[in-house]
């Protein structure tokens, strides 16, 4: 076991405008000095020409400072050891930390379209499988999980995003003997090859971006954790030891301040509300600040309480921070002047991390199956030894199987003879011959039974004689006493059965039915009738209460000594609605409790509903995504591409959108006209009603035949009333037409929104596909439209039909010629692109069928 400090390295993102005056890197001493004065200080210095004594120069020392370093340097110089440790049985964790855009994802995952620029994760998988394949004497099992923590909620990246949306939150558990901290319920996939592992890595990344579209959450606003579990045991099966380790590859969310996050999102054209961004920033900052609190607590000489449980991130990383783990922190910084504040904060946390110490040792556990097998082998060997020993000692009658009832009876008869023997000679003759320790043990056991029987007989004889000496004197069969044993007038039988229990051995060598003791009687309805029922019993419903009513204690519960049946649930547990309602209540209160820190986690399906999707996606233009920034297509160029896309690849979809838009507009106009008609009719009704009312007030009253006054309508008034009735009918009809027209208009508007969203998504996919051209730079040309079938297939090309099997083979040969190790990466990319295309297609089809419903 060894104690090691967390290794901390700083990586600068290459930039042409590196703030050389403000950030001074000493590669020899591995230090960074930041000359960071506040704006007020600088203004003050400019105005007065005098420096104040506030510190504005900070020097940080790290294990490594890598300026303009390539991906190879990062992996071979830093990450390789951690991965090697994980294969050797010591868990490892590599974390990237820093502000958005500083190169965290580039460092961890790299460029998925470029083999040379692949990051730590794909390289680590190559490394792991190289070791697994090389160590032929060891049986490895490699399992993978991939998750992200977004707004303090865990998302499984190895399942469809829709599954995550319906699933409740996952729980974090700890297995001290094996895998350490893990997330219960997360999909864990066993992988047999590097390519399978790479497929999961890229598949998970694809899930992140798919969820980005569907849930409007952005991948760089979440923490992602890719975990590789390695279990190894000796193939020979001689050792029952199992060594477990894991490798956590953590890409943390951007650590910038809220204002910067807002500016950045706006710049990238992300179409979500400020509230959403604020909420994301709040969760990110909260979890990073808890991470910092843990690091501060751990960096103290005597680390007391470490607040791991405050956030999901720190809880999941519990054993990577101050636990049994080789931890490497890669702090990524952007060396430009405008990012100085973020750089300072990154360097501060990184330098604190330098003080954190971890304990590293391989975790060995015993495989229960192997242990059992080993013990079975030992027993078999020992039995053989014993047989040989018996044969040599002429003890051939010794048996090692359990004694049968007949053999036990034989011992019993011999012992009875021995007990009945008179004098030493008889005793000697009746003494059972001793053959083995096992036989001696069995003799003792049978002897014990005999003694207990005699004791029991003596006790019951005493009791019977005491009972017979009571009121009625000594009981005789003539007295009509029907007690067992007495009935037949055989005192021996009475003694023999009085205390012989059901299944006990009887003196005549058989198993008697005996008599169950009183205390062994089951509780009957009668026996509980007199007992007062507790409140819970009276109030309980369902299974538990019916068990009470039948008088039987609930399964698994014994009857309490005081005679009262114990309640299934305590009073506090049983609510008015019975036990199940109580459970529901607990469930709710637990949810409430889980939302600690004053912020309630979003209930699944609440935050990420269709409406928020519409709000984000239907913003009128293509969503920013990864294309919005980081050197991608920006602003006007992107709009121009979008326009071109609408006229080209997306023409059909755009045509549909325009037609639907026109229809929606015409329908809106129709609704407006119909609403005017309805309003006019309403006005007409009001006027008619007023006129009729007026007329009714003015007309004279005439006495009727019964002498009471009654209203008589003149012709004019009759006409008006008829007209009013007619207008009301027209109004009703017009209103119904209006309602139908409105419904149609809303459906068209919705269809328009969906088409627009489709168009934007297709555009995003189109851009991404274009960007896959990165392979071409490398000479690894992957055709994203070609079907991914190992046997090949036929595809349409400009020149006509082509056999893609031979094309694929040619591409593979080219890749292998260039670098044999890149084959798995190449294949995984093909799978990723094919999956992405399938996802896009499925998404479009789902939208279509929804629209047509
Ligand atoms: N060391 C580097 N060399 C070359 N390009 C880099 C380097 N670091 C970052 N980049 C480029 O900078 C851009 C932003 O990097 P990246 O996405 O890795 O940043 P990030 O810190 O992960 O940001 P986010 O928090 O948004 O995910 C990418 O286009 C990436 O290719």
């Amino acid at each position: 076991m060894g104690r090691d400090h967390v290794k901390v390295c700083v990586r600068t993102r290459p930039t042409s405008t590196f703030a050389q005056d403000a950030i001074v890197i000493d590669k020899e001493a591995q230090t960074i000095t930041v000359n960071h004065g506040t704006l007020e200080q600088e203004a003050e210095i400019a105005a007065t020409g005098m420096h104040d004594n506030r510190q504005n120069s900070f020097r940080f020392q790290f294990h490594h400072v890598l300026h303009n370093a390539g991906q190879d340097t990062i992996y071979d110089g830093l990450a390789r050891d951690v991965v090697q440790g994980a294969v050797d049985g010591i868990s490892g964790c590599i974390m990237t930390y820093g502000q958005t855009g500083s190169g965290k994802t580039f460092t961890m995952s790299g460029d998925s379209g470029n083999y040379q620029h692949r990051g730590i994760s794909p390289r680590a998988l190559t490394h792991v499988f190289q070791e697994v394949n090389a160590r032929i004497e060891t049986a490895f099992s490699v399992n993978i999980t991939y998750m992200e923590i977004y707004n303090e909620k865990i998302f499984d990246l190895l399942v469809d995003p829709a599954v995550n949306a319906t699933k409740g939150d996952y729980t974090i558990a700890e297995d001290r003997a094996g895998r350490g901290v893990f997330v219960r319920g997360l999909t864990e996939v066993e992988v047999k090859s590097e390519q399978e592992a790479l497929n999961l890595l890229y598949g998970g990344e694809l899930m992140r971006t798919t969820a980005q579209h569907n849930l409007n959450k952005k991948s760089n606003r979440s923490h992602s954790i890719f975990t590789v579990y390695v279990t190894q045991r000796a193939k020979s099966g001689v050792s029952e030891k199992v060594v477990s380790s894991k490798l956590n590859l953590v890409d943390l969310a951007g650590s910038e301040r809220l204002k910067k996050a807002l500016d950045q999102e706006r710049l990238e054209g992300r179409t979500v509300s400020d509230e959403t961004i604020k909420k994301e920033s709040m969760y990110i900052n909260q979890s990073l600040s808890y991470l910092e609190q843990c690091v501060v607590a751990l960096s103290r000489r005597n680390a007391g309480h470490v607040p791991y449980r405050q956030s999901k991130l720190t809880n999941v990383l519990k054993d990577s921070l101050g636990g049994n783990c080789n931890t490497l922190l890669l702090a990524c910084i952007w060396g430009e002047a405008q990012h100085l504040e973020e750089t300072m904060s990154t360097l501060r946390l990184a330098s604190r991390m330098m003080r954190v110490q971890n304990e590293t040792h391989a975790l060995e556990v015993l495989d229960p199956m192997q242990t059992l097998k080993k013990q079975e082998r030992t027993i078999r060997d020992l039995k053989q030894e014993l047989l040989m020993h018996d044969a040599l000692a002429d003890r051939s009658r010794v048996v090692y199987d359990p004694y049968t009832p007949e053999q036990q009876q034989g011992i019993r008869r011999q012992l009875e003879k021995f007990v009945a023997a008179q004098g030493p000679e008889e005793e000697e003759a009746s003494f059972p011959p001793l053959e083995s320790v096992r036989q001696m043990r069995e003799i003792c056991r049978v002897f014990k039974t005999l003694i207990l029987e005699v004791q029991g007989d003596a006790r019951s004889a005493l009791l019977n004689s005491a009972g017979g000496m009571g009121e009625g004197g000594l009981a005789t069969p003539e007295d009509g006493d029907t007690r067992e044993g007495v009935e037949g007038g055989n005192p021996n039988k009475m003694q023999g059965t009085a205390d012989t229990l059901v299944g006990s051995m009887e003196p005549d060598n058989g198993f008697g039915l005996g008599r169950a003791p009183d205390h062994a009687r089951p509780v009957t309805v009668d026996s509980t009738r007199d007992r007062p029922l507790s409140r819970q019993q009276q109030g309980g419903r369902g299974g538990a209460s019916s068990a009470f009513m039948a008088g039987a204690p609930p399964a698994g519960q014994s009857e309490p000594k005081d005679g009262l049946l114990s309640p299934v649930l305590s009073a506090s547990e049983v609510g008015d609605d019975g036990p199940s309602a109580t459970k529901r209540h607990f469930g709710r209160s637990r949810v409430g409790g889980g939302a600690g820190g004053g912020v309630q986690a979003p209930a699944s399906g609440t935050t990420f509903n269709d409406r928020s999707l519409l709000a984000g996606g239907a913003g009128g233009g293509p969503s920013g995504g990864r294309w919005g920034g980081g050197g991608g297509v920006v602003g006007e160029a992107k709009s121009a591409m979008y326009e071109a896309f609408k006229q080209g690849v997306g023409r059909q979809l755009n045509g549909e959108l325009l037609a639907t838009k026109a229809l929606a507009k015409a329908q809106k106009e129709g609704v407006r006209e119909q609403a005017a008609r309805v309003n006019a009719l309403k006005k007409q009704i009001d006027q008619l009603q007023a006129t009729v009312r007026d007329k009714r007030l003015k007309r004279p009253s005439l006495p009727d035949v019964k002498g009471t006054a009654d209203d008589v309508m003149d012709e004019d008034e009759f006409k008006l009333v008829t007209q009013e009735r007619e207008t009301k009918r027209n109004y009703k009809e017009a209103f119904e037409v209006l309602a139908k027209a409105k419904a149609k208009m809303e459906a068209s508007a919705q269809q328009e929104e969906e088409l627009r969203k489709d168009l934007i998504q297709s555009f995003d996919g189109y851009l991404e596909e274009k960007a896959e051209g990165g392979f071409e730079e490398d000479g690894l040309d992957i055709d994203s439209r070609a079907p991914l079938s190992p046997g090949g297939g036929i595809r349409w090309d400009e020149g006509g039909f082509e056999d893609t099997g031979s094309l694929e083979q040619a591409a593979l040969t080219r890749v292998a010629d260039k670098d044999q190790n890149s084959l798995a990466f190449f294949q995984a990319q093909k799978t990723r692109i094919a999956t992405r295309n399938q996802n896009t297609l499925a998404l479009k089809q789902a939208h279509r069928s929804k629209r047509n419903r």
Side-chain angles (χ1 to χ4, degrees):
M1 188 185 298
R3 277 189 85 77
D4 280 322
H5 279 98
V6 168
K7 195 173 256 182
V8 182
C9 303
V10 175
R11 183 185 199 185
T12 59
R13 180 187 153 163
T15 169
S16 54
T17 50
F18 191 81
Q20 283 165 349
D21 297 336
I23 304 175
V24 182
I25 295 173
D26 183 341
K27 281 189 182 171
E28 291 291 305
Q30 307 291 359
T31 60
I32 299 186
T33 308
V34 182
N35 301 311
H36 178 43
T38 61
L39 287 177
E40 295 87 61
Q41 277 175 298
E42 275 160 19
E44 208 177 303
I45 294 164
T48 60
M50 283 165 61
H51 285 263
D52 66 8
N53 58 1
R54 278 174 288 177
Q55 187 186 2
N56 55 15
S57 176
F58 302 85
R59 190 163 166 273
F60 299 93
Q61 166 97 51
F62 298 103
H63 292 113
H64 291 279
V65 179
L66 297 160
H67 186 45
N68 293 339
Q71 299 284 68
D72 289 353
T73 315
I74 298 291
Y75 190 78
D76 294 328
L78 307 170
R80 181 172 283 282
D81 284 351
V82 181
V83 179
Q84 185 63 46
V87 184
D88 293 339
I90 295 171
S91 293
C93 174
I94 306 178
M95 270 186 273
T96 53
Y97 177 82
Q99 75 175 103
T100 292
S102 57
K104 299 181 297 298
T105 309
F106 184 80
T107 304
M108 191 53 79
S109 308
D111 185 346
S112 56
N114 190 317
Y115 182 66
Q116 302 305 329
H117 291 171
R118 70 202 190 285
I120 291 173
S121 311
R123 283 168 200 262
L125 293 174
T126 310
H127 185 163
V128 168
F129 278 96
Q130 273 169 357
E131 289 289 328
V132 166
N133 296 333
R135 298 187 191 183
I136 47 170
E137 75 288 357
T138 310
F140 279 93
S141 89
V142 181
N143 288 36
I144 280 175
T145 61
Y146 198 3
M147 64 159 181
E148 65 177 341
I149 305 173
Y150 175 74
N151 284 1
E152 206 48 15
K153 188 170 171 6
I154 290 174
F155 288 82
D156 188 343
L157 291 176
L158 299 185
V159 295
D160 198 80
V163 177
N164 278 313
T166 54
K167 221 166 172 180
D169 211 351
Y170 295 86
T171 48
I172 300 164
E174 192 170 358
D175 170 14
R176 286 177 200 276
R179 54 188 39 209
V181 177
F182 68 99
V183 177
R184 190 167 278 138
L186 217 54
T187 309
E188 189 174 321
V189 183
E190 182 169 4
V191 283
K192 299 280 180 209
S193 68
E194 178 193 348
Q195 202 193 315
E196 277 180 36
L198 284 172
N199 283 345
L200 292 179
L201 175 71
Y202 293 123
E205 280 174 9
L206 213 58
M207 285 298 170
R208 270 183 109 183
T209 42
T210 311
Q212 190 165 316
H213 288 303
N214 289 356
L215 306 179
N216 216 345
K217 69 188 176 60
K218 227 181 142 195
S219 56
N220 69 347
R221 311 292 286 153
S222 66
H223 311 292
S224 81
I225 305 177
F226 182 79
T227 308
V228 184
Y229 292 96
V230 182
T231 313
Q232 49 188 301
R233 66 193 81 208
K235 263 187 189 160
S236 59
V238 286
S239 169
E240 68 276 28
K241 277 185 199 152
V242 180
V243 180
S244 301
S245 55
K246 69 176 170 193
L247 176 67
N248 270 333
L249 301 172
V250 188
D251 185 3
L252 294 169
S255 59
E256 60 278 349
R257 289 160 303 132
L258 172 64
K259 188 181 169 311
K260 200 141 196 171
L262 282 168
D263 293 348
Q264 184 73 19
E265 300 293 339
R266 292 286 156 262
L267 192 74
E268 290 183 9
R270 192 173 171 213
T271 52
V272 291
S273 66
D274 283 2
E275 278 313 305
T276 307
I277 300 169
K278 275 183 194 163
K279 191 171 160 193
E280 287 173 348
S281 293
M282 194 250 323
Y283 277 117
I284 294 171
N285 291 338
Q286 213 170 48
S287 59
L288 290 177
S289 125
Y290 290 141
L291 175 70
E292 192 154 357
Q293 284 178 27
C294 290
V295 171
V296 169
L298 285 163
S299 58
R300 285 194 205 111
R301 195 171 285 274
N302 292 316
H305 170 69
V306 183
Y308 291 117
R309 287 185 167 273
Q310 292 191 109
S311 76
K312 295 242 161 65
L313 178 72
T314 48
N315 215 353
V316 170
L317 296 180
K318 187 177 166 191
D319 47 10
S320 302
L321 300 165
N324 176 21
C325 192
N326 260 329
T327 305
L328 166 68
L329 177 80
L330 287 158
C332 300
I333 58 166
W334 214 342
E336 287 168 358
Q338 76 260 37
H339 301 301
L340 223 50
E341 203 159 321
E342 270 72 26
T343 298
M344 275 292 293
S345 113
T346 303
L347 295 177
R348 267 199 200 106
L349 181 109
S351 102
R352 281 201 191 110
M353 198 72 148
M354 295 265 295
R355 276 182 271 157
V356 175
Q357 280 193 339
N358 282 356
E359 239 166 43
T360 49
H361 58 92
L363 251 186
E364 281 180 3
V365 287
L366 294 182
D367 179 358
M369 286 312 291
Q370 283 297 332
T371 313
L372 200 69
K373 273 188 193 156
K374 194 178 170 186
Q375 283 171 353
E376 276 172 0
R377 264 199 310 272
T378 313
I379 291 169
R380 204 178 49 227
D381 292 349
L382 285 173
K383 273 185 174 173
Q384 270 175 358
E385 283 274 325
L386 210 55
L387 279 176
M388 276 174 66
H389 186 265
D390 287 343
L392 288 172
D394 199 19
R395 299 192 326 147
S396 51
R397 281 186 299 149
V398 179
V399 285
Y400 297 100
D401 294 327
Y403 279 77
T404 62
E406 286 75 24
Q407 286 170 324
Q408 286 168 335
Q409 277 307 312
I411 294 174
R412 185 183 177 112
R413 271 194 299 272
Q414 269 183 321
L415 281 177
E416 279 169 350
K417 256 193 212 168
F418 175 70
V419 170
Q422 304 279 326
E425 273 178 33
E426 248 185 70
E427 231 175 50
E428 190 59 36
S430 61
F431 201 77
L434 295 179
E435 288 160 356
S436 66
V437 175
R438 273 186 78 244
Q439 187 222 19
M440 277 171 69
R441 281 211 187 112
E442 197 59 38
I443 288 173
C444 290
R445 245 176 244 131
V446 176
F447 207 76
K448 182 179 170 185
T449 314
L450 276 174
I451 290 173
L452 287 175
E453 279 174 15
V454 171
Q455 281 177 349
D457 287 353
R459 211 180 304 126
S460 55
L462 254 171
L463 280 171
N464 283 331
S465 59
M469 302 286 276
E471 280 173 38
L474 196 66
T476 64
E478 290 78 12
D479 288 342
D481 190 335
T482 55
R483 278 178 300 168
E484 282 173 279
V486 176
E487 197 175 25
N490 181 353
N492 285 340
K493 190 182 173 201
M494 182 194 81
Q495 283 180 2
T497 55
D499 269 356
T500 307
L501 304 183
V502 180
S504 293
M505 190 76 78
E506 289 190 341
D508 54 356
N509 301 340
F511 291 94
L513 285 175
R515 188 170 68 85
D518 286 347
H519 65 263
R521 289 182 66 197
V523 182
T524 61
V525 176
D526 286 341
S527 64
T528 54
R529 194 167 285 161
D530 299 336
R531 297 172 184 170
L533 288 174
S534 67
R535 260 186 67 214
Q536 288 89 344
Q537 286 165 243
Q538 291 165 16
R541 292 179 203 158
S545 61
S546 50
F548 285 137
M549 295 313 283
Q557 291 196 26
S558 56
E559 198 178 335
K561 288 201 176 69
D562 62 8
L564 282 174
L565 294 172
S566 67
V568 173
L569 297 170
S570 69
S572 65
E573 284 173 294
V574 181
D576 287 346
D577 295 334
S580 59
T582 312
K583 276 206 185 111
R584 283 200 301 276
H585 166 72
F586 281 155
R588 275 202 299 272
S589 64
R590 224 175 269 143
V591 169
V599 185
Q600 190 155 357
S604 61
T606 315
T607 313
F608 312 118
N609 57 15
D610 284 352
R611 213 186 294 168
S612 66
L613 174 63
L614 277 175
S623 59
R626 56 184 275 209
W627 308 105
V633 186
V634 281
E636 283 176 19
K638 191 176 177 186
S639 299
M641 278 185 83
Y642 185 50
E643 286 310 314
F645 170 78
K646 285 199 288 189
Q647 305 310 320
V649 180
R651 193 175 54 232
Q652 196 189 335
L653 208 54
N654 191 43
E656 258 185 75
L657 171 65
L658 292 178
T660 314
K661 204 172 168 183
L663 179 68
K665 199 174 166 199
Q667 284 170 335
K668 199 173 173 187
E669 187 55 35
V671 166
R672 214 169 52 80
E673 282 170 12
Q674 187 65 16
R677 207 167 296 136
V678 169
N679 286 339
L681 285 167
K682 178 79 178 68
K683 209 167 169 190
Q684 215 176 323
I685 292 168
D686 289 347
Q687 279 168 359
L688 282 166
Q689 278 177 338
T691 321
V692 169
R693 211 179 304 121
D694 207 33
K695 267 202 160 291
R696 205 169 278 164
L697 283 173
K698 284 183 186 157
R699 80 175 167 226
S701 291
L702 294 171
D704 69 354
V705 279
K706 287 178 197 157
T708 55
D710 199 5
D711 291 347
V712 177
M713 213 184 273
D714 65 16
E715 206 181 322
D716 276 356
E717 191 182 337
F718 179 74
K719 269 188 191 163
L720 281 170
V721 169
T722 314
Q723 203 181 337
E724 184 194 331
R725 213 170 286 152
E726 184 69 18
T727 317
K728 275 187 176 167
R729 199 176 307 122
N730 289 342
Y731 173 79
K732 201 178 156 203
E733 279 171 9
F735 193 85
E736 276 167 11
V737 173
L738 175 67
K740 280 184 189 151
K742 249 180 129 179
K744 277 188 186 163
M745 181 193 78
E746 281 165 5
S748 297
Q750 193 174 342
Q751 195 176 345
E752 186 190 331
E753 289 299 322
E754 282 170 10
L755 277 167
R756 182 173 292 126
K757 204 164 43 178
D758 261 10
L759 191 66
I760 292 164
Q761 275 173 350
S762 305
F763 177 62
D764 278 348
Y766 167 74
L767 282 183
E768 278 193 40
E769 252 176 61
K770 275 199 147 277
E772 300 301 337
F775 281 93
E776 278 156 25
E777 286 168 25
D778 255 12
L780 310 180
D781 182 11
I782 293 179
D783 183 353
S784 61
R785 287 161 295 278
L788 186 88
S789 58
I794 303 293
R795 71 163 184 178
W796 173 252
D797 206 66
E798 279 173 20
F801 287 108
E802 271 185 45
D803 180 359
T804 55
S806 52
L807 278 178
E808 206 167 289
Q809 195 50 51
L812 285 178
T813 316
R814 246 185 316 146
V815 172
D817 285 349
K818 246 187 149 190
D819 183 349
Q820 183 68 28
N821 290 336
S822 67
L823 264 180
F825 181 81
F826 173 80
Q827 295 279 33
Q829 288 315 315
K830 287 212 73 157
T831 310
R832 182 180 71 84
I833 293 166
T835 315
R836 196 204 52 208
N837 289 348
Q838 267 172 15
N839 286 356
T840 316
L841 208 69
L843 205 70
K844 279 180 192 160
Q845 273 167 358
H847 279 308
R848 291 253 152 72
S849 56
K850 198 172 147 197
R851 238 192 351 256
N852 297 337
R853 244 184 273 136

